[in-house]
Amino acid sequence: MSHVIGEVSMSLRRTDGKVDEDLVWSTSGVDVFEPSIPWRTFRWRNGQKHYSGTHWSSTMRDHVVYESRLELTRLLYADFDQDVTAVFAQPFLLTATVDGRERRHVPDYLVVREKDVPLVVDVKPRHLLTRPKVNFALGWAREVVLSRGWDFEVWSEPPEVELANLRFLAGYRRDWLFDEDLLAEIREEDLHGATLGDAFRAFPRHPEWKVRAAVLRLLWCQHFVTDLTAVLSQRHVLRQGPATVVGAGRRDLPRPIDESELDGDEDEPVCRMPGSRSGGHVSGAAVRVGVGTRLKYDGEVVVVEEMFGSAAGNELLVRDGAGRRFRLSLRVSLSSGRATVIAAEPGPQADDDRETASVLFALLSEEELAEVRERAAHVNEVLTGFRSGSEEVPEPGEPRPQYAATVSKLQRYEAKATELGVSVRTIKRWVRAFLLDGEAGLVRGGPDRGSGDMGGLGRADERWVEMALEIMAEHEKDSKPTRAKVIRSVGPRLAARYGEGEVKLPTRATAYRWLEELERRLPTFRLSTKRNRDIAARPPGAYGKLRPTRPGEYLLMDTTRLDVFAMDPITLKWVQAELTVAMDWYTRCITGLRVTPVSTQSIDVAAVLFQTYRPRPPGKGWPSWALWPDHGIPRTVFVEREALEEGDAQDGEVKGAAGPALVPETVVVDHGKPYISEHITSVCQRLGLSIQPARLRTGRDKGPLERFFKTLREGPLEVLPGYKGPDVFSRGERPEREAFFFLHELEAIIREWTACVYHRRAHRGLLDPNVPGLRLSPAMMFEHGIARAGYIEVPRDPALGFEFLKTEWKQLHHYGVEIRKCRYNGPGLDGYRGESSEYTGPKGKGLWPVQVDPDNISYIYFRRPDTRRWHALQWEHAPALKFPVSEGAIELARKVAGEKSPFPDDERAVAELLERWHLGLGLTLPERRLALRQAREQSAFDLPETVWDDVRALPSVARVLAGSDNDADETGAAGAVPYEGAVAGDDDEDDELEGPDDGDFYADALEDA
């Protein structure tokens, strides 16, 4: 349907936040979109079903936003398309006068192609395309786009197998992670016609896991192509040429259809599947398919005009609402779910008010079942003369004379009625029910659904039940009500809605029994209110989940408050601790963890992410089977020569890592400030990581990680001194008095338990669908993933840690760089002092990027453009300090010194603050938090050896608990010297830094998160 299009304009949102309105749409060129940003940002709300996030696009070399997983599929296809040169999300606001009324529309994507005109893409599920409102909006937008010389596409669900293959190959889209020499060697080899398995084994000089990843990289780059419509396997044949994908884009739109046109008219019910639908109903269920039959195909009504046979089977020639004709395979159309038959006559439906025969018989007692069988035998005798219904298995004396085949049917009815003492009408009703539904039609009265005096809802008035559920649902976010309150509220509300006396109220005892039944549907009275809210937030349909296909595809990150108290090394009092963890979803391996005091900041999250690339070294005395090789490949997959040589370790040195090294592809995080901070977003952008935020208040989106926290609590934590339980109801009288371990010791315990126990224990959630019943541990699953998908080596650049620091944009003065009124200088600035950079954008504008560690402000780091090497710039007062000072510490020191002197000096201010910390007296709330962070023994990005600790049975824990570990005692004493930390960051409020000291700093530690 064409529309009358009037004036057309578009609006862009620039990177600086300004909006260019009412721009004239050019018929060629897309340069105007280069400095623009998405028109709107994705929104989050409680109860949201779809996932929004940012995808790292290999085409753009940058983040591109998406508002649903369906939009993400379009980005994957755009990255795979070699003709695509740019992708812009929500590129502009389109304003047009349509049929005399102003309309506005924001397309989902603008795809710029090298060999074709730009493509405007709108993403909609296939079942929504026939809705009039959606169809109208897409229709006029399509007409406007085509009239300007551009192309238009509506993207829906792509084929599942093809999408799964592209998702798998997308893990190899980051080019800098692969060995160029190996890629060149594979390109030179003639692998045309070889299978994928042959290509994996064609280079014996290189490890197979490395060759596998490189071949899959070339498959993504389309140097090789193969059939992506079947699940990738080693039997796939490689060939050369352009890759072809089916995708889900369509240039036209289906005819809009009102829902009532299909479902509301009883004369045209939709037959969803041919066959029997209800309690043994065996006739009238078939639907004729022939000329004139109407089908619903991909949401559009088509009419069969001709049927003919072919080598592939029966085919149909159909015509749609626009008069276009095309051919369909009858078998494929009906079996794939894309087409459903619109029945021309009424017939049995899936929603018929009848039970299946198996359900009816299961609800009968032995006596009732025997009665039905006896009645069926009588009906068989009337119809055939034999109680079994077949002359091949006759009983003695059959057929009796009154039921012989020569006797008329009416006489047989009369004879059976006389024999059983019932009327002839009853016999006829039995026969009719038997012929229609078989033995199930002879069940008397239908299934027993319970009764009011049995505790069910069999006799309950639906209006009473509906009102009770409505009242119970109102308390979802309120305090827990009593059953008596709900019962008292039902009566007046029913009278107000239906009238006084219209709904008969049950007795009090009956109402209590009914509420007991309703409690199963909507928990309200028995569980805690928090648990009730979690249950109420469950999705009404089947649970969906992201299904990782290889190690590193999804990295789960989250922070939890530990259920054990730690020791404050400054005041030797208990303190609350938080644990930040990174987990690979495919393998369940813990790739990074960090224990922090009081609260977690973005620098802590970056440190955990850094451990995924650079695992921490193992502790002293760890067993050899708990160690991972430095290169990250399990030794069962790749054995290095050094591992076969004896006497490798010198002076007790332990080689290896505490966990696997991994290159993640997508980071799944929640909406906490440290995770959505600019610091973490910029780190992911530089490293080529996509970000998938979990839905608000939906812990199941990170289910495996939440389960790890529970396993951790029920494993090592509950046996440690200072354990306080998961909530206040599980807490002892004074668990804080038992706090014994310092923060670094607590982290060492968790780290070793993870390596020695968690990674080596079989998990029920880990399985191989091809080998049912095989129990796998995270370490074994990691080996399985490498054997399946190869291994992408972690970048070996020793300067990788600088990528995880916070970026600040500053000017290079003749005296150096000034940050937070601190001056930094060094020879690395020579040649660039006073110059403007070539960086543009809202943050560049001629400024230079420098990397800052908030936990150590003694140095900042600058990378020279000519050599691309990092140089440390030292703070002018750093030589006067014996250890690092954090960003928060210098700010607080200035504030404290400013109260004493109008001209505070940084060096003197820090010295006074350190003196107060050493004394441990008169500390304010911010000072104590800073002292806790300063007291940590390791920096966020240093990799010192950790103490070998574990749960009681581990030697180090036993030594500490027994008081025999002198080194641990010395470490605890040394912990009283502060050295690093930052508190004025992502999680601290301004009033916390300025509030008075109430003398009860540890009171809030007993509050549950």
Side-chain angles (χ1 to χ4, degrees), residues 77 158-167 227-232:
Y77 276 80
E160 292 185 6
V161 175
E162 185 178 86
L163 174 60
N165 289 333
L166 280 187
R167 273 187 53 201
D227 181 18
L228 296 180
T229 60
V231 179
L232 278 177

PDB file of all heavy atoms in Angstrom, residues 77 158-167 227-232:
ATOM      1  N   TYR A  77      26.089 -10.422  11.058  1.00  0.00           N
ATOM      2  CA  TYR A  77      26.061 -10.588   9.612  1.00  0.00           C
ATOM      3  C   TYR A  77      26.779  -9.433   8.907  1.00  0.00           C
ATOM      4  O   TYR A  77      27.423  -9.635   7.869  1.00  0.00           O
ATOM      5  CB  TYR A  77      24.615 -10.697   9.119  1.00  0.00           C
ATOM      6  CG  TYR A  77      24.043 -12.090   9.209  1.00  0.00           C
ATOM      7  CD1 TYR A  77      23.561 -12.591  10.409  1.00  0.00           C
ATOM      8  CD2 TYR A  77      23.992 -12.909   8.099  1.00  0.00           C
ATOM      9  CE1 TYR A  77      23.026 -13.864  10.495  1.00  0.00           C
ATOM     10  CE2 TYR A  77      23.468 -14.189   8.168  1.00  0.00           C
ATOM     11  CZ  TYR A  77      22.982 -14.669   9.372  1.00  0.00           C
ATOM     12  OH  TYR A  77      22.464 -15.942   9.454  1.00  0.00           O
ATOM     13  N   PRO A 158      17.114 -14.979  11.613  1.00  0.00           N
ATOM     14  CA  PRO A 158      17.835 -15.755  10.599  1.00  0.00           C
ATOM     15  C   PRO A 158      17.740 -17.241  10.902  1.00  0.00           C
ATOM     16  O   PRO A 158      17.312 -17.643  11.999  1.00  0.00           O
ATOM     17  CB  PRO A 158      19.276 -15.246  10.736  1.00  0.00           C
ATOM     18  CG  PRO A 158      19.379 -14.827  12.163  1.00  0.00           C
ATOM     19  CD  PRO A 158      18.024 -14.327  12.571  1.00  0.00           C
ATOM     20  N   PRO A 159      18.139 -18.102   9.969  1.00  0.00           N
ATOM     21  CA  PRO A 159      18.153 -19.552  10.233  1.00  0.00           C
ATOM     22  C   PRO A 159      19.027 -19.882  11.438  1.00  0.00           C
ATOM     23  O   PRO A 159      20.130 -19.342  11.587  1.00  0.00           O
ATOM     24  CB  PRO A 159      18.731 -20.136   8.938  1.00  0.00           C
ATOM     25  CG  PRO A 159      18.434 -19.116   7.889  1.00  0.00           C
ATOM     26  CD  PRO A 159      18.504 -17.786   8.581  1.00  0.00           C
ATOM     27  N   GLU A 160      18.535 -20.760  12.291  1.00  0.00           N
ATOM     28  CA  GLU A 160      19.217 -21.033  13.556  1.00  0.00           C
ATOM     29  C   GLU A 160      20.613 -21.611  13.336  1.00  0.00           C
ATOM     30  O   GLU A 160      21.576 -21.206  14.001  1.00  0.00           O
ATOM     31  CB  GLU A 160      18.369 -21.988  14.401  1.00  0.00           C
ATOM     32  CG  GLU A 160      17.071 -21.386  14.903  1.00  0.00           C
ATOM     33  CD  GLU A 160      16.342 -22.322  15.828  1.00  0.00           C
ATOM     34  OE1 GLU A 160      16.915 -23.385  16.154  1.00  0.00           O
ATOM     35  OE2 GLU A 160      15.206 -22.014  16.220  1.00  0.00           O
ATOM     36  N   VAL A 161      20.739 -22.563  12.450  1.00  0.00           N
ATOM     37  CA  VAL A 161      22.041 -23.209  12.248  1.00  0.00           C
ATOM     38  C   VAL A 161      23.049 -22.216  11.674  1.00  0.00           C
ATOM     39  O   VAL A 161      24.200 -22.144  12.119  1.00  0.00           O
ATOM     40  CB  VAL A 161      21.886 -24.428  11.322  1.00  0.00           C
ATOM     41  CG1 VAL A 161      23.252 -25.026  10.998  1.00  0.00           C
ATOM     42  CG2 VAL A 161      20.994 -25.476  11.972  1.00  0.00           C
ATOM     43  N   GLU A 162      22.628 -21.437  10.699  1.00  0.00           N
ATOM     44  CA  GLU A 162      23.535 -20.445  10.106  1.00  0.00           C
ATOM     45  C   GLU A 162      23.967 -19.420  11.144  1.00  0.00           C
ATOM     46  O   GLU A 162      25.147 -19.031  11.203  1.00  0.00           O
ATOM     47  CB  GLU A 162      22.838 -19.768   8.939  1.00  0.00           C
ATOM     48  CG  GLU A 162      23.720 -18.798   8.177  1.00  0.00           C
ATOM     49  CD  GLU A 162      22.984 -18.197   6.992  1.00  0.00           C
ATOM     50  OE1 GLU A 162      22.280 -17.182   7.205  1.00  0.00           O
ATOM     51  OE2 GLU A 162      23.101 -18.740   5.887  1.00  0.00           O
ATOM     52  N   LEU A 163      23.037 -18.968  11.977  1.00  0.00           N
ATOM     53  CA  LEU A 163      23.388 -18.003  13.020  1.00  0.00           C
ATOM     54  C   LEU A 163      24.346 -18.618  14.026  1.00  0.00           C
ATOM     55  O   LEU A 163      25.295 -17.956  14.468  1.00  0.00           O
ATOM     56  CB  LEU A 163      22.115 -17.521  13.719  1.00  0.00           C
ATOM     57  CG  LEU A 163      22.320 -16.606  14.927  1.00  0.00           C
ATOM     58  CD1 LEU A 163      23.060 -15.339  14.524  1.00  0.00           C
ATOM     59  CD2 LEU A 163      20.983 -16.252  15.570  1.00  0.00           C
ATOM     60  N   ALA A 164      24.128 -19.877  14.399  1.00  0.00           N
ATOM     61  CA  ALA A 164      25.038 -20.528  15.342  1.00  0.00           C
ATOM     62  C   ALA A 164      26.445 -20.624  14.763  1.00  0.00           C
ATOM     63  O   ALA A 164      27.440 -20.413  15.478  1.00  0.00           O
ATOM     64  CB  ALA A 164      24.500 -21.914  15.694  1.00  0.00           C
ATOM     65  N   ASN A 165      26.564 -20.910  13.476  1.00  0.00           N
ATOM     66  CA  ASN A 165      27.889 -20.969  12.855  1.00  0.00           C
ATOM     67  C   ASN A 165      28.568 -19.599  12.832  1.00  0.00           C
ATOM     68  O   ASN A 165      29.767 -19.486  13.099  1.00  0.00           O
ATOM     69  CB  ASN A 165      27.767 -21.507  11.432  1.00  0.00           C
ATOM     70  CG  ASN A 165      27.417 -22.993  11.400  1.00  0.00           C
ATOM     71  OD1 ASN A 165      27.735 -23.724  12.336  1.00  0.00           O
ATOM     72  ND2 ASN A 165      26.762 -23.422  10.338  1.00  0.00           N
ATOM     73  N   LEU A 166      27.808 -18.553  12.524  1.00  0.00           N
ATOM     74  CA  LEU A 166      28.398 -17.212  12.506  1.00  0.00           C
ATOM     75  C   LEU A 166      28.801 -16.763  13.906  1.00  0.00           C
ATOM     76  O   LEU A 166      29.821 -16.111  14.089  1.00  0.00           O
ATOM     77  CB  LEU A 166      27.414 -16.221  11.900  1.00  0.00           C
ATOM     78  CG  LEU A 166      27.322 -16.188  10.373  1.00  0.00           C
ATOM     79  CD1 LEU A 166      26.441 -15.041   9.922  1.00  0.00           C
ATOM     80  CD2 LEU A 166      28.693 -16.061   9.739  1.00  0.00           C
ATOM     81  N   ARG A 167      27.984 -17.093  14.892  1.00  0.00           N
ATOM     82  CA  ARG A 167      28.353 -16.764  16.271  1.00  0.00           C
ATOM     83  C   ARG A 167      29.659 -17.441  16.652  1.00  0.00           C
ATOM     84  O   ARG A 167      30.521 -16.856  17.318  1.00  0.00           O
ATOM     85  CB  ARG A 167      27.253 -17.220  17.229  1.00  0.00           C
ATOM     86  CG  ARG A 167      26.131 -16.235  17.456  1.00  0.00           C
ATOM     87  CD  ARG A 167      25.206 -16.737  18.539  1.00  0.00           C
ATOM     88  NE  ARG A 167      25.946 -17.077  19.738  1.00  0.00           N
ATOM     89  CZ  ARG A 167      25.500 -17.888  20.698  1.00  0.00           C
ATOM     90  NH1 ARG A 167      24.329 -18.461  20.564  1.00  0.00           N
ATOM     91  NH2 ARG A 167      26.223 -18.129  21.763  1.00  0.00           N
ATOM     92  N   ASP A 227      29.877 -24.563   3.565  1.00  0.00           N
ATOM     93  CA  ASP A 227      28.429 -24.541   3.728  1.00  0.00           C
ATOM     94  C   ASP A 227      28.093 -24.197   5.176  1.00  0.00           C
ATOM     95  O   ASP A 227      28.385 -24.977   6.097  1.00  0.00           O
ATOM     96  CB  ASP A 227      27.841 -25.904   3.358  1.00  0.00           C
ATOM     97  CG  ASP A 227      26.320 -25.929   3.495  1.00  0.00           C
ATOM     98  OD1 ASP A 227      25.715 -24.837   3.537  1.00  0.00           O
ATOM     99  OD2 ASP A 227      25.754 -27.036   3.554  1.00  0.00           O
ATOM    100  N   LEU A 228      27.488 -23.032   5.387  1.00  0.00           N
ATOM    101  CA  LEU A 228      27.119 -22.586   6.728  1.00  0.00           C
ATOM    102  C   LEU A 228      25.679 -22.918   7.079  1.00  0.00           C
ATOM    103  O   LEU A 228      25.217 -22.551   8.160  1.00  0.00           O
ATOM    104  CB  LEU A 228      27.345 -21.079   6.860  1.00  0.00           C
ATOM    105  CG  LEU A 228      28.793 -20.604   6.733  1.00  0.00           C
ATOM    106  CD1 LEU A 228      28.872 -19.094   6.883  1.00  0.00           C
ATOM    107  CD2 LEU A 228      29.681 -21.282   7.779  1.00  0.00           C
ATOM    108  N   THR A 229      24.962 -23.594   6.191  1.00  0.00           N
ATOM    109  CA  THR A 229      23.581 -23.978   6.506  1.00  0.00           C
ATOM    110  C   THR A 229      23.519 -25.269   7.311  1.00  0.00           C
ATOM    111  O   THR A 229      22.448 -25.638   7.792  1.00  0.00           O
ATOM    112  CB  THR A 229      22.772 -24.154   5.215  1.00  0.00           C
ATOM    113  OG1 THR A 229      23.370 -25.176   4.400  1.00  0.00           O
ATOM    114  CG2 THR A 229      22.733 -22.841   4.435  1.00  0.00           C
ATOM    115  N   ALA A 230      24.638 -25.956   7.461  1.00  0.00           N
ATOM    116  CA  ALA A 230      24.731 -27.149   8.301  1.00  0.00           C
ATOM    117  C   ALA A 230      25.716 -26.875   9.430  1.00  0.00           C
ATOM    118  O   ALA A 230      26.635 -26.062   9.296  1.00  0.00           O
ATOM    119  CB  ALA A 230      25.193 -28.357   7.475  1.00  0.00           C
ATOM    120  N   VAL A 231      25.519 -27.547  10.539  1.00  0.00           N
ATOM    121  CA  VAL A 231      26.368 -27.332  11.716  1.00  0.00           C
ATOM    122  C   VAL A 231      27.816 -27.640  11.354  1.00  0.00           C
ATOM    123  O   VAL A 231      28.117 -28.703  10.773  1.00  0.00           O
ATOM    124  CB  VAL A 231      25.901 -28.215  12.884  1.00  0.00           C
ATOM    125  CG1 VAL A 231      26.802 -28.016  14.090  1.00  0.00           C
ATOM    126  CG2 VAL A 231      24.464 -27.898  13.246  1.00  0.00           C
ATOM    127  N   LEU A 232      28.717 -26.708  11.666  1.00  0.00           N
ATOM    128  CA  LEU A 232      30.122 -26.882  11.316  1.00  0.00           C
ATOM    129  C   LEU A 232      30.686 -28.153  11.933  1.00  0.00           C
ATOM    130  O   LEU A 232      30.466 -28.446  13.111  1.00  0.00           O
ATOM    131  CB  LEU A 232      30.929 -25.677  11.797  1.00  0.00           C
ATOM    132  CG  LEU A 232      30.921 -24.421  10.914  1.00  0.00           C
ATOM    133  CD1 LEU A 232      31.710 -23.314  11.584  1.00  0.00           C
ATOM    134  CD2 LEU A 232      31.470 -24.710   9.533  1.00  0.00           C
TER     135      LEU A 232
END
